[in-house]
């Protein structure tokens, strides 16, 4: 083996290690950068399961597959008051549901909450908003027509 080829392969190997290590997510950290609060990876997964209970996977992708829980976290971080953020995170950290349980338990937990509960209100509203504004829904489920739309010239009134 020639020296140049050996050095070249060494650099490729070192570059691959750097890229691979940046792709591995630690369970202690969230996969999204948040400015006003922090959650663990386990709590993020729990939030993903709660969002999946609201919009489950059927013949269309569910909220977990579309990453709606990340949208919920980002909207909570950017658009809600510090009081709402702290109450939401406190409720999320206090959940006694274990990750990976069936979605019926998550749904039962959400149904048990009062409609005026801040956690349920934010979670449900932001999950639906994220799903309706997702790329999948906008491209595949909503029919878009260019402006001015269709022309109906002779319509009896």
């Amino acid at each position: 083996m020639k020296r140049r080829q050996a050095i070249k392969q060494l650099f490729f190997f070192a570059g691959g290690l750097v890229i691979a290590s940046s792709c591995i997510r630690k369970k202690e950290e969230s996969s999204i950068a948040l400015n006003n609060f922090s959650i663990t990876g386990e709590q993020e997964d729990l939030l993903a399961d709660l969002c999946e209970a609201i919009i489950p996977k059927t013949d269309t992708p569910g909220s977990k597959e579309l990453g709606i829980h990340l949208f919920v976290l980002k909207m909570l971080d950017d658009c809600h008051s510090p009081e709402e953020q702290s109450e939401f995170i406190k409720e999320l950290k206090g959940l006694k549901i274990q990750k990976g349980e069936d979605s019926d338990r998550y749904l039962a937990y959400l149904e048990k909450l009062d409609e005026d509960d801040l956690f349920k209100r934010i979670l449900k509203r932001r999950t639906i908003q994220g799903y309706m504004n997702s790329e999948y829904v906008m491209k595949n489920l909503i029919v878009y027509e260019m402006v001015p739309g269709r022309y109906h010239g002779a319509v009896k009134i």
Side-chain angles (χ1 to χ4, degrees):
M1 180 180 283
K2 296 184 180 180
R3 187 175 3 160
R4 285 185 183 179
Q5 188 178 11
I7 292 172
K8 185 177 174 182
Q9 288 179 348
L10 179 67
F11 280 120
F12 279 132
F13 181 72
L17 282 177
V18 169
I19 291 172
S21 65
S22 68
C23 294
I24 298 172
R25 182 181 127 202
K26 296 179 183 174
K27 278 295 185 187
E28 301 89 36
E29 299 175 0
S30 174
S31 64
I32 186 172
L34 301 168
N35 299 325
N36 299 318
F37 58 88
S38 62
I39 63 169
T40 64
E42 186 176 301
Q43 292 163 345
E44 181 183 326
D45 293 340
L46 181 61
L47 182 65
D49 290 337
L50 286 169
C51 290
E52 184 73 17
I54 295 173
I55 302 177
K57 180 179 180 177
T58 56
D59 55 340
T60 60
S63 62
K64 187 185 275 188
E65 190 175 334
L66 295 176
I68 303 300
H69 64 287
L70 300 175
F71 176 81
V72 171
L73 287 173
K74 194 63 177 168
M75 291 301 286
L76 180 69
D77 189 38
D78 291 345
C79 300
H80 289 274
S81 69
E83 295 83 23
E84 290 176 334
Q85 292 172 358
S86 64
E87 190 173 331
F88 186 90
I89 296 303
K90 185 175 115 182
E91 181 84 22
L92 182 64
K93 289 180 179 179
L95 285 177
K96 300 299 181 207
I97 303 173
Q98 295 296 320
K99 182 198 166 315
E101 292 184 10
D102 59 343
S103 63
D104 294 336
R105 291 242 352 224
Y106 296 113
L107 199 54
Y109 171 76
L110 290 173
E111 289 173 352
K112 181 179 73 170
L113 292 175
D114 187 26
E115 284 296 323
D116 295 332
D117 187 59
L118 179 78
F119 180 78
K120 182 177 181 178
R121 201 167 21 108
I122 291 175
L123 179 66
K124 187 176 176 183
R125 180 173 148 214
R126 295 302 182 186
T127 301
I128 293 170
Q129 179 186 13
Y131 187 77
M132 293 306 294
N133 291 321
S134 68
E135 181 180 354
Y136 176 80
V137 170
M138 290 298 205
K139 283 186 174 180
N140 300 321
L141 300 180
I142 296 178
V143 178
Y144 178 77
E145 291 186 24
M146 293 288 289
V147 173
R150 296 180 187 200
Y151 176 70
H152 302 285
V155 178
K156 294 183 180 181
I157 298 179

